[in-house]
Amino acid sequence: MNVKQEKTLILIKPDGVMRGLIGEIIKRFEQCGLKIIGLKMVQPSKDFVARHYSGSEEWLRGMGQKALNSFAQHNVDAEKAMGTKDPLEIGRMIQQWNTGYLSSGPVVAMVIEGIYAITAVRKIIGFTIPAQADVGTIRGDYSIDSNNVANLEKRSTKNLIHAAGDEEEAAHEIKHWFSDEELVSYERCDADAMF
Ligand code: GDP
């Protein structure tokens, strides 16, 4: 049987913690059979969260381009709103807001393990922009924040949660937030019934 067990990193961002949604969010992962193998609450520094993000030009440009697409969709003049139409420059601005946001309060960090966990978790958290995230996903159920509004207010989109996007990000982020000793190994007692 070719069943892929993966590990991924999740952060409940400061808005999720301050809104008292820790339990509600963790429940979503546990209930579908994903296993928590690392869990802690931290107050990260700005420098620490800056090193959490990839920060590569490609990644920044991609984030800037997504913002430009979203402005275009809503007939907002990007140049007027952001002072530039360069996706890399916009990506850099958003990144500054992201590091401020993620270090603005306590964060709950988790490592989760399970079948295709990286994809499963991304499906459960939903689309980056809560206003466009499906109902039933964490971001869609608990927020309606919009990146256009966030950009105009010069802040990060408040979307409650972060999850690694692929295997490379997951490996980097797990190592960044957890030491080997902080990760545990156990069997869930419902595993035989579920799989
Ligand atoms: P994610 O993997 O779904 O979190 O999305 P990205 O990696 O593209 O973006 C990282 C974080 O930046 C998101 O979770 C949002 O908090 C924030 N963000 C993304 N796009 C925008 C945007 O266009 N404007 C603003 N202000 N924030 C954004």
Side-chain angles (χ1 to χ4, degrees):
M1 204 166 37
N2 177 23
V3 177
K4 198 157 179 223
Q5 289 288 331
E6 289 177 341
K7 291 184 180 63
T8 190
L9 181 107
I10 295 172
L11 303 174
I12 303 179
K13 296 179 178 181
D15 53 326
V17 173
M18 286 187 291
R19 289 177 56 194
L21 292 173
I22 298 171
E24 200 52 54
I25 289 173
I26 291 179
K27 183 184 97 177
R28 303 273 181 129
F29 302 118
E30 283 188 312
Q31 73 187 4
C32 72
L34 290 163
K35 183 163 66 177
I36 298 167
I37 60 163
L39 181 69
K40 63 182 173 186
M41 189 176 223
V42 288
Q43 168 61 70
S45 69
K46 209 167 180 176
D47 174 59
F48 184 83
V49 300
R51 285 182 283 116
H52 154 83
Y53 288 112
S54 138
S56 74
E57 286 206 353
E58 189 192 348
W59 182 76
L60 291 168
R61 195 174 284 113
M63 197 161 56
Q65 190 56 54
K66 272 196 271 179
L68 284 171
N69 297 345
S70 182
F71 275 139
Q73 244 176 24
H74 294 90
N75 296 318
V76 179
D77 183 337
E79 181 95 51
K80 226 174 173 178
M82 303 296 279
T84 176
K85 271 188 169 161
D86 176 11
L88 180 57
E89 230 178 288
I90 294 175
R92 285 203 174 106
M93 274 186 236
I94 296 172
Q95 185 55 359
Q96 285 290 322
W97 303 333
N98 283 347
T99 51
Y101 165 42
L102 201 50
S103 60
S104 68
V107 164
V108 172
M110 267 176 283
V111 177
I112 281 189
E113 186 179 72
I115 298 170
Y116 300 111
I118 296 169
T119 319
V121 163
R122 295 286 292 193
K123 191 175 70 177
I124 293 165
I125 74 173
F127 188 60
T128 305
I129 301 150
Q132 293 167 33
D134 288 335
V135 170
T137 65
I138 295 170
R139 287 165 167 173
D141 283 353
Y142 293 105
S143 174
I144 50 163
D145 197 21
S146 137
N147 62 333
N148 284 339
V149 174
N151 290 336
L152 293 170
E153 293 180 349
K154 308 220 172 301
R155 63 169 173 80
S156 184
T157 308
K158 291 189 184 171
N159 57 6
L160 298 154
I161 190 156
H162 162 85
D166 56 34
E167 282 184 51
E168 199 183 322
E169 268 182 28
H172 161 72
E173 294 175 8
I174 290 169
K175 242 186 156 42
H176 185 61
W177 289 87
F178 286 88
S179 65
D180 289 347
E181 295 72 42
E182 288 175 311
L183 300 180
V184 297
S185 174
Y186 66 100
E187 289 304 322
R188 273 180 54 157
C189 66
D190 57 356
D192 278 348
M194 288 190 88
F195 308 113

